[in-house]
Amino acid sequence: MTRPVPLGRRSVATLLLTSLVGVAAFGWPLLAATDSALVGHSTDAPWLFALLLPLMLAVVIAQISEGRRAGGGAPGLDAKSVALLGVLAAAGAALRPLGAGTAGLEPMFFLMVLAGRVLGPGFGFVLGSLSMFASALLTGGVGPWLPFQMLAMGWVCLGAGLLPGAAGLRGRRELVLLAGYGALASVLYGTIMNLQGWPYIAGLTSSISFVPGDPVSANLVRFAAYCLTTSLGWDLPRAALTVTLCLTLGTPVLRALRRATRRAAFAAPVGFEPPKAPAEPAEATEPAERVTSAGPAEPAKPTKQP
């Protein structure tokens, strides 16, 4: 299956590094000491944002520097891939405001899952992060939560690109697979974003609050209670909408994305050939009688009959 942004070795290394940075940014409060200042976690977003953008750019640069697909022969990233990335990111950014703030309904998850499925994990990670960034600019949702949202949405699209059966699974079974993944990703997205805000939003007085220095298992129990009581009412409607859109609109959207990929011919190698020389005039045909250096050939003498 054609992947506009395939995963080469440099891209895999860069994505792993970016994901490790994200895991550390989300999870470090669980290992905080007892005297840790919780408010400090709310001020690390600018540093994460400053680190995230170069890492995202490094994913793209890795594709360009690799130049060739592993085992293939086509360019890793070209102008057509960048154009498709811009169109889909703009579409995702435009879809988000349609349901933002209404019981967690966000139709952009549906498009991100399908695009990641068709276009691959590398393309998906960049697409998810860029779409979230563009939607924040569009809706005015820029804040300390933005870099965490970009990472989480990048992981959602990356996971869709890693689902099995990308080359052969089609029809109803593929829609069911994508719907199931979309539901799980919608809930996990909300859970991960809860982990970003939980240490300093919940406070220190309730039974669901983060307690610095407590065992990780005890804090995870409080975190599960926090998710159940605060965000599950948003996560479940988001999952239900994603499943509904995948099952009803998945087939035409998948077909359109795959058609666009085929027509763009991402896998076709690009080369330039010198202009062909003009064709030489055809040589004159030899006469019926062969001419030799000694002169014209003598006609054959008739044989005498008895």
Side-chain angles (χ1 to χ4, degrees), residues 183-237:
L184 179 63
S186 299
V187 175
L188 288 179
Y189 173 87
T191 303
I192 292 174
M193 288 306 300
N194 285 340
L195 187 59
Q196 173 265 328
W198 171 57
Y200 63 92
I201 288 179
L204 294 172
T205 57
S206 67
S207 60
I208 60 174
S209 298
F210 171 72
V211 178
D214 266 19
V216 174
S217 57
N219 271 324
L220 287 179
V221 170
R222 297 189 188 96
F223 177 66
Y226 173 80
C227 292
L228 289 173
T229 56
T230 59
S231 70
L232 200 61
W234 277 263
D235 297 338
L236 292 181

Side-chain angles (χ1 to χ4, degrees), residues 134-263:
S135 67
L137 296 180
L138 183 64
T139 60
V142 178
W145 53 82
L146 177 58
F148 297 94
Q149 288 178 330
M150 293 170 63
L151 275 170
M153 185 58 74
W155 288 334
V156 168
C157 296
L158 184 146
L162 294 175
L163 290 174
L169 186 62
R170 295 292 184 271
R172 192 70 180 176
R173 290 187 301 168
E174 184 181 31
L175 293 182
V176 171
L177 174 66
L178 293 176
Y181 172 78
L184 179 63
S186 299
V187 175
L188 288 179
Y189 173 87
T191 303
I192 292 174
M193 288 306 300
N194 285 340
L195 187 59
Q196 173 265 328
W198 171 57
Y200 63 92
I201 288 179
L204 294 172
T205 57
S206 67
S207 60
I208 60 174
S209 298
F210 171 72
V211 178
D214 266 19
V216 174
S217 57
N219 271 324
L220 287 179
V221 170
R222 297 189 188 96
F223 177 66
Y226 173 80
C227 292
L228 289 173
T229 56
T230 59
S231 70
L232 200 61
W234 277 263
D235 297 338
L236 292 181
R238 183 192 302 120
L241 178 63
T242 303
V243 169
T244 302
L245 292 178
C246 284
L247 294 178
T248 56
L249 301 178
T251 298
V253 174
L254 287 172
R255 188 182 299 119
L257 289 172
R258 287 177 173 137
R259 186 187 304 116
T261 301
R262 287 194 303 269
R263 291 187 176 180

Side-chain angles (χ1 to χ4, degrees), residues 10 62 110 133 144 191 250 274-275:
R10 291 190 182 93
F110 147 75
F133 178 71
T191 303

